[in-house]
Amino acid sequence: MGQQKTAPESGTRESERRRTILRAAIDVFARKGYHGCRIADVAKEAGVAYGLVYHYFKNKDELLETVFETGWSGFIARARAVAESEGPLVEKVRRIADVAFEAYRVDPRAVKVLILEIARSPAGARINRQTAFVDVIRLSAQMFTRAKEAGELRPDVDPLLASALLFGSIEMGLTAFVVGLADARDTAMLERAKAQIADSFLHGVLLGGASASAEPVKPEPAKHELPRGEDPPDVAPLKREKAAPRARAPKRG
Amino acid sequence: MGQQKTAPESGTRESERRRTILRAAIDVFARKGYHGCRIADVAKEAGVAYGLVYHYFKNKDELLETVFETGWSGFIARARAVAESEGPLVEKVRRIADVAFEAYRVDPRAVKVLILEIARSPAGARINRQTAFVDVIRLSAQMFTRAKEAGELRPDVDPLLASALLFGSIEMGLTAFVVGLADARDTAMLERAKAQIADSFLHGVLLGGASASAEPVKPEPAKHELPRGEDPPDVAPLKREKAAPRARAPKRG
DNA sequence: CGGCTGGTTGATTCAAGAATCAGCCAGCCA
DNA sequence: TGGCTGGCTGATTCTTGAATCAACCAGCCG
């Protein structure tokens, strides 16, 4: 009684429908959060019958898990390629930032789900969510260890910590966009953010203080400071969806 | 008809029971996550009848909200005090890192809940969870803006982004402990992490490259590199609790 | 001492929503 | 054309767990 769920057709060409549903899931998760939405929402978003979701995915958890695997595995692969490549640390760090921001550019919703729902919260139980997160950090920690042996790193810098800090910076940088603190439509801002993350990180970590070819990527020196058009949009310019799913009976109102 | 729930006695001396329950909630949330636990778990942990939880808290959400307010407001207050104080940026940044790590030292569980459940996830709907998070970033962004005007910051550094990066680093540094990547019982490691975060961040951001009085706090130059006793504990040394709450009927075999 | 007050109990109620399943229908082969 | 296959449907079932509430008890006051 095998699962005919995966790939009814040839290898990569999994059912069109399955992908539609997955896509819808990403969107809905991004909008309402994993716990804040019901399977019915996903089905509706996909324009598909409720039951069909269960035809393609064992349960809600597997849905999230799949979103995770799909998105994360791609990122890990790219990050690993960079981390294990040859070349100066400076380059690698910049390219890792590239990978992350490119992922965001291509599919912000997916990144949002990855960051908000999966990377942290003990939400979807199943897979090694945390483990996976930890994996990337380990991966890049090795990179730093090698860099350190090669004398590219300040000797007092702990590779593991450095790795954590790099991804912390990247993640929080992205979070700023995800959460709406910064305007994600502002491409220039994205570019600047990416550059600044790599730069800030490197200059603090590299052996030779503020040297090490600071501006290689962006041509403009320092065009605009706070790229958003208006001044700081009060408190939170984020979308602020419906975001109040639970709380059925307010006890004594 | 008013809520006799809060503070049946004098102001600060809220019912002993209430605090017991709150404490239990923090512990259980930290262990299983907000969505992964039932009120019954909290009650059991507190050694208290199920119904009593509802005597002191309107509902599950309010419980999380209270955990949030309790923990976060303290942190914000301290962070604000630092950010708005007089003195060189270097000092302030170091003190902010202090505040965060001190909070962790005092009550790691609470910090875990704050980081994993509240700061990010669209979990507990109610309060401005995200807003609060955003607030701190704004707060420190102002600090950076002023620093920049005072010429303490590289001119090409965006204050908002810098702020995000600082907290990203701090948060991810803490997450490393929260998640078990690093051993939280290793006090030296905590100290080093704190120092390294501030240092790395500053040197990349400050006007004068790698200058600016690097080692003010820690006396030892570079004692141990990877402070954990053993070598990298495979994949994930984290507690790995039960962490598989959902998934009732596995459909077909 | 007897009855009142308010913290405490936990079985019961109830709604949400995950998962199921009995079929429907479109395309295809004989 | 008739019947078969398998993707697809969505009302129905079933489980979970939040929230309620009627009763209980300990101390206290009159």
Side-chain angles (χ1 to χ4, degrees), chain B:
Chain B
M1 193 189 271
Q3 305 88 307
Q4 73 285 55
K5 22 201 61 169
T6 11
E9 309 230 319
S10 64
T12 38
R13 262 246 305 263
E14 50 180 350
S15 154
E16 186 67 31
R17 283 307 187 84
R18 187 185 151 96
R19 234 174 313 160
T20 305
I21 292 173
L22 203 53
R23 183 68 245 165
I26 291 177
D27 291 347
V28 174
F29 288 171
R31 189 141 23 94
K32 307 200 189 191
Y34 179 71
H35 289 287
C37 75
R38 15 228 140 278
I39 290 291
D41 297 326
V42 175
K44 192 186 294 178
E45 174 83 24
V48 133
Y50 185 97
L52 197 61
V53 175
Y54 283 91
H55 180 73
Y56 284 109
F57 300 90
K58 190 155 95 271
N59 53 35
K60 201 182 172 187
D61 250 28
E62 189 182 281
L63 200 46
L64 182 62
E65 204 176 305
T66 306
V67 170
F68 161 72
E69 273 162 10
T70 304
W72 198 250
S73 65
F75 176 72
I76 284 214
R78 277 174 244 261
R80 159 166 285 130
V82 172
E84 291 175 348
S85 68
E86 291 303 310
L89 183 66
V90 196
E91 269 312 305
K92 293 184 187 170
V93 167
R94 292 222 165 86
R95 274 162 61 206
I96 285 180
D98 274 353
V99 169
F101 274 77
E102 178 61 12
Y104 183 76
R105 199 188 58 72
V106 170
D107 192 348
R109 307 272 188 83
V111 171
K112 179 170 182 177
V113 175
L114 249 38
I115 287 185
L116 256 37
E117 296 294 329
I118 302 179
R120 305 306 181 74
S121 171
R126 291 287 299 267
I127 259 272
N128 352 341
R129 180 181 16 73
Q130 280 188 332
T131 299
F133 201 54
V134 161
D135 277 352
V136 202
I137 292 190
R138 283 262 175 60
L139 188 66
S140 101
Q142 286 169 12
M143 172 180 84
F144 283 114
T145 304
R146 271 180 278 118
K148 193 170 172 176
E149 285 161 359
E152 290 183 285
L153 221 55
R154 282 215 313 263
D156 61 312
V157 166
D158 180 289
L160 181 61
L161 216 23
S163 176
L165 299 198
L166 173 58
F167 281 97
S169 296
I170 290 177
E171 199 223 6
M172 189 60 91
L174 285 178
T175 300
F177 291 97
V178 157
V179 149
L181 232 186
D183 186 350
R185 286 158 312 187
D186 189 336
T187 320
M189 181 61 171
L190 272 169
E191 277 307 306
R192 270 182 59 72
K194 186 174 74 181
Q196 187 177 322
I197 287 172
D199 276 14
S200 299
F201 177 76
L202 284 170
H203 293 196
V205 147
L206 283 183
L207 231 169
S211 58
S213 67
E215 269 88 357
V217 204
K218 48 173 180 157
E220 75 276 52
K223 249 164 56 182
H224 41 358
E225 297 301 334
L226 245 186
R228 265 183 282 73
E230 323 91 292
D231 49 5
D234 205 46
V235 177
L238 60 167
K239 283 296 176 52
R240 173 118 27 240
E241 305 285 347
K242 261 189 60 187
R246 328 208 113 241
R248 299 124 185 184
K251 196 167 189 174
R252 37 185 103 179

Side-chain angles (χ1 to χ4, degrees), chain A residues 16 29 38 68 71 89 110 113 125 133 197 211 218 237:
Chain A
E16 187 67 32
F29 287 170
R38 17 227 138 279
F68 161 73
L89 183 66
V113 174
F133 203 55
I197 286 172
S211 60
K218 45 169 182 163

